[in-house]
Amino acid sequence: MTGECAIALRIWLSSAGAATTQVIRMLRDNPDATPVRIYGTNVDRGAAALAACDVAEVEPRRVDNHTYAEFALDFCRRHGIDVLVPPRRLDALAGRADDFAAVGTRLMCSSPAAIDVLTSKSRTYEVAAAIGVPVPEWRVVRDAEGLRAAVDDLAGAGETVCIKPAGEYSAFGFRILDDSPLSMRDLLEPARPLVSVNAVADALKRAADAREKVPAFLVMPYLEGPEVSVDCLSTPDGRLLAGIARAKEGRYRLLLDDPVYPEIAERLVSHFELAYLSNVQLRHRNGRPMLLEANPRPSAGIFQTAFAGVNLPWAAVRLLLSGDPGPLPVPRLGGRVAVTETATEVPAGALAVAGG
């Protein structure tokens, strides 16, 4: 792949979130100087990332896997997409790689088997523990009685417990369980995702009484910071080519020069045979790193790895298309990056996307 290519490479970034604009910049400023044309979609026609794309459309909202996959295939067919990089709806797309190939699109996605396990946090923990990856204690609950039993079981002296959906909901649904009364200090500090055990138990009971569908929830100790995110680039059979760990410290990100985090990520990537871009998140318990979650997709913050001197998104595109990620420089680690807000001018009519 070289800059001599006269026809732009057509890359579709589906479910384009706010951080997608930074990834677009990395793809356009690729080290091969290959011209690219960026296509973006989102369920929200007002999503700001769509304004940074060359072509933007609206995705269908709340549709089943078959309907979403048919939409994606039609999109690729209509636009002649070369590469599809999906951060969401992986369970709808992974099993259709041959169908995408038939319309000329290479799908950047791990295997359906890996995605099936990793979209369940409880099953992920079971497998991770079996291969020697440190995981916290956890309990799966679906009702008020199970919640109270799990909290009684896990909440030791001074132990803080949290709850989150066991499926793939990103950070949505995460709450710290705290029954202590609010103080004036609590009211004057930035809000935290706190909720009482009684409030959650009541919500579960009301849902059960109304015969609502209640997903499985995970109850576990609230792990200590800092949260560490390892962005991974790997071959289709799960051989790790690069793993860059970054720790969150308020508005800063530390590019960690500590092999313990990439080593944990490598064990998971290898076992699940994760392909191209994936992400492993860890926190700590008594100073020991513990698995928070493993994602068979790129993280929203993958663009921060650019400050380590490595263009992971472009290396993944090269690897997908040619089997060669290109030269991978030794990452510059140990640095500190400030995460700040930026403003981007939007041309008039840029958000008048097609569809919907």
Side-chain angles (χ1 to χ4, degrees), residues 258-297:
D258 187 337
V260 67
Y261 303 111
E263 285 171 2
I264 292 174
E266 183 172 22
R267 193 175 304 175
L268 290 159
V269 168
S270 175
H271 178 82
F272 287 108
E273 296 186 348
L274 297 182
Y276 309 110
L277 297 175
S278 58
N279 175 257
V280 173
Q281 295 178 20
L282 307 124
R283 287 180 74 90
H284 300 79
R285 185 164 178 79
N286 299 322
R288 184 188 182 200
M290 295 267 173
L291 178 64
L292 195 60
E293 59 184 56
N295 299 303
R297 55 173 173 78

Side-chain angles (χ1 to χ4, degrees), residues 155-181:
E159 185 76 75
T160 301
V161 179
C162 63
I163 185 172
K164 58 185 176 181
E168 189 183 28
Y169 288 83
S170 297
F172 298 124
F174 169 78
R175 298 290 187 276
I176 298 171
L177 299 174
D178 188 350
D179 287 330
S180 60

Side-chain angles (χ1 to χ4, degrees), residues 186-205:
D186 294 325
L187 294 174
L188 297 177
E189 288 187 340
R192 301 177 68 205
L194 302 177
V195 68
S196 71
V197 174
N198 283 338
V200 177
D202 289 345
L204 291 171
K205 186 177 185 306

Side-chain angles (χ1 to χ4, degrees), residues 71-264:
F71 154 77
L73 284 164
D74 178 66
F75 187 97
C76 290
R77 190 181 297 109
R78 285 188 289 113
H79 294 292
I81 299 297
D82 298 302
V83 174
L84 166 55
V85 185
R88 295 285 184 271
R89 303 303 304 258
L90 301 182
D91 56 341
L93 303 176
R96 306 289 297 270
D98 289 343
D99 294 332
F100 282 100
V103 299
T105 301
R106 302 296 297 272
L107 175 66
M108 188 180 292
C109 194
S110 291
S111 70
I115 290 166
D116 182 55
V117 174
L118 293 175
T119 49
S120 166
K121 293 183 177 66
S122 59
R123 292 173 64 196
T124 299
Y125 283 179
E126 290 170 2
V127 174
I131 63 173
V133 172
V135 300
E137 291 186 78
W138 80 94
R139 303 289 184 272
V140 178
V141 305
R142 290 183 179 273
D143 53 34
E145 293 75 15
L147 170 71
R148 295 186 189 281
V151 171
D152 290 343
D153 197 17
L154 295 173
E159 185 76 75
T160 301
V161 179
C162 63
I163 185 172
K164 58 185 176 181
E168 189 183 28
Y169 288 83
S170 297
F172 298 124
F174 169 78
R175 298 290 187 276
I176 298 171
L177 299 174
D178 188 350
D179 287 330
S180 60
L182 283 174
S183 67
M184 185 54 61
R185 179 178 178 180
D186 294 325
L187 294 174
L188 297 177
E189 288 187 340
R192 301 177 68 205
L194 302 177
V195 68
S196 71
V197 174
N198 283 338
V200 177
D202 289 345
L204 291 171
K205 186 177 185 306
R206 283 195 301 273
D209 291 344
R211 296 186 178 181
E212 294 180 27
K213 183 178 179 181
V214 178
F217 286 86
L218 226 60
V219 178
M220 56 185 282
Y222 179 59
L223 301 178
E224 307 155 2
E227 182 174 317
V228 175
S229 181
V230 186
D231 292 298
C232 302
L233 171 71
S234 56
T235 61
D237 61 353
R239 180 169 59 89
L240 189 70
L241 300 176
I244 300 176
R246 47 190 172 83
K248 295 181 180 180
E249 187 182 77
R251 284 281 188 173
Y252 294 91
R253 301 293 181 267
L254 309 180
L255 300 173
L256 300 177
D257 190 6
D258 187 337
V260 67
Y261 303 111
E263 285 171 2
I264 292 174

